[in-house]
Amino acid sequence: MTTERATPASTTAVVGLGPMGSALARALLAAGPPPVVWNRTRSRATDLAAEGAVSASDLSDAVASADLVISCLRDHATTRSVLATVPHETLRGRTVVILASATPDEARATHAWAVARGLTVLVGSIMVPVPLVGTPEAQILYAGDPALVERHRDVLERLAGRTDHVGEDPGHASLLDTAMLEVYFAGMTAFLHGAAMAAREGIDATTFAAYARDVLALLPDTVDGLAADVDAGRHPGHEDTIAMELAALEHMVATSEATGVDPSLPVLMRRLAHDAVAAGHGGDSWSRVVDVLRGTVRTPAA
Ligand SMILES: NC(=O)c1ccc[n+]([C@@H]2O[C@H](COP(=O)([O-])OP(=O)(O)OC[C@H]3O[C@@H](n4cnc5c(N)ncnc54)[C@H](OP(=O)(O)O)[C@@H]3O)[C@@H](O)[C@H]2O)c1
């Protein structure tokens, strides 16, 4: 192994030095023993080595020097192909944390692949962008054996102040990652849709944003209420009903069409409400839409 400094007896290896892997390595450098770092394109380790990391030219040497191996490569196929180049006996006895983004099924497949090779593996999801890595606000979710998270918690908390074990099913960090991102993208897209309509009427996006924030402030309590209804399987409709909300959705579609803005988003929401009403749930609260999404309400044939 080519090193710029002596390798500590007990350390962490970071495999993959893209923007995220580099940020993880820097978070380790900032508070604790310097990590060993490895990347396919070696030049990406140059700056980190200058900052104090131990740059390894050989992946197997990097793994052999570490108790904990943090892999942050492009995807799970890449992760499997890279880890497959390391001899089994070198990987055995170390904990490998795989932080590439994946679907839940991919995460489970990678976990099964690793277990079949005798590896000890956690599959995680990084929930924050690069600048937040290593801060108290950073969040990384881990799925798999909870004892592994506890064993390495001191290192993992250097990567993210919020280090959450979310379950033993190795797909569940990826599942929550995907579902959380959906909420984020839906919110961003709805904002952009509203901003596009407002712009056509001469209201700029910054002006609209101030009002959009007022609505966003209602969402945390709204989500808690929806969650309680979904978990209880009750959709009371005491304060508002899908039939009433359908009128607002008609207004969104009409305004979108009138301003020449793609109406796909409000059309989708109107269709969900319409199907719930058509199935006899017009008097229920909006949470009933979950059953339309699940395909468990019966809509009369058109
Ligand atoms: N960036 C973010 O804000 C962010 C946020 C959350 C999660 N993530 C996840 O973190 C993971 C890493 O993301 P990233 O932003 O660092 O950049 P990336 O472009 O997704 O991944 C770059 C890394 O993958 C390596 N790589 C790609 N193909 C390879 C191959 N065939 N063989 C060996 N290595 C290969 C690159 O090596 P070379 O340098 O040699 O090309 C580099 O180390 C991804 O799964 C991403 O979804 C990223």
Side-chain angles (χ1 to χ4, degrees):
M1 173 169 44
T2 304
T3 61
E4 279 72 18
R5 53 188 297 164
T7 305
S10 169
T11 192
T12 303
V14 178
V15 173
L17 300 176
M20 185 51 82
S22 296
L24 296 171
R26 285 202 169 86
L28 295 174
L29 267 175
V36 176
V37 296
W38 177 88
N39 197 61
R40 175 183 64 172
T41 306
R42 183 100 198 277
S43 57
R44 282 185 123 160
T46 305
D47 288 350
L48 279 161
E51 294 166 37
V54 181
S55 175
S57 58
D58 182 82
L59 174 59
S60 296
D61 285 349
V63 170
S65 69
D67 299 324
L68 177 65
V69 178
I70 296 172
S71 171
C72 190
L73 296 159
R74 170 143 312 153
D75 51 33
H76 276 229
T78 304
T79 304
R80 290 193 293 267
S81 72
V82 168
L83 291 179
T85 67
V86 181
H88 292 205
E89 55 276 15
T90 304
L91 279 162
R92 277 207 192 103
R94 305 173 203 293
T95 302
V96 181
V97 178
I98 296 171
L99 292 179
S101 301
T103 66
D105 282 348
E106 281 176 314
R108 283 187 278 262
T110 299
H111 188 271
W113 173 88
V115 168
R117 292 172 67 85
L119 308 190
T120 303
V121 179
L122 279 173
V123 186
S125 288
I126 302 166
M127 300 312 308
V128 290
V130 164
L132 286 183
V133 170
T135 69
E137 293 75 34
Q139 182 183 42
I140 302 182
L141 310 180
Y142 297 94
D145 182 352
L148 294 176
V149 176
E150 293 316 314
R151 186 184 306 163
H152 298 289
R153 183 170 281 281
D154 59 333
V155 177
L156 300 179
E157 287 187 344
R158 284 155 59 196
L159 306 176
R162 299 174 63 195
T163 295
D164 292 351
H165 178 257
V166 297
E168 298 202 23
D169 184 319
H172 281 186
S174 303
L175 178 67
L176 289 171
D177 177 5
T178 303
M180 287 166 73
L181 280 177
E182 185 181 356
V183 172
Y184 191 59
F185 274 90
M188 288 197 299
T189 308
F191 171 75
L192 293 174
H193 186 269
M197 292 195 299
R200 287 280 160 83
E201 299 271 348
I203 298 171
D204 63 29
T206 304
T207 301
F208 171 57
Y211 291 97
R213 290 174 69 97
D214 291 339
V215 176
L216 288 170
L218 302 175
L219 274 180
D221 286 347
T222 301
V223 165
D224 286 348
L226 291 171
D229 288 353
V230 169
D231 286 346
R234 287 184 295 100
H235 308 280
H238 294 323
E239 295 169 0
D240 42 43
T241 64
I242 298 177
M244 179 275 289
E245 282 152 345
L246 193 50
L249 292 163
E250 295 286 9
H251 296 163
M252 287 177 221
V253 174
T255 306
S256 186
E257 289 171 346
T259 53
V261 173
D262 184 331
S264 304
L265 188 57
V267 164
L268 167 65
M269 294 188 287
R270 180 181 65 177
R271 199 268 293 166
L272 295 171
H274 182 268
D275 285 359
V277 172
H281 297 296
D284 290 354
S285 53
W286 184 257
S287 54
R288 174 65 76 182
V289 167
V290 74
D291 289 333
V292 180
L293 292 165
R294 288 166 166 162
T296 55
V297 297
R298 299 181 68 80
T299 308

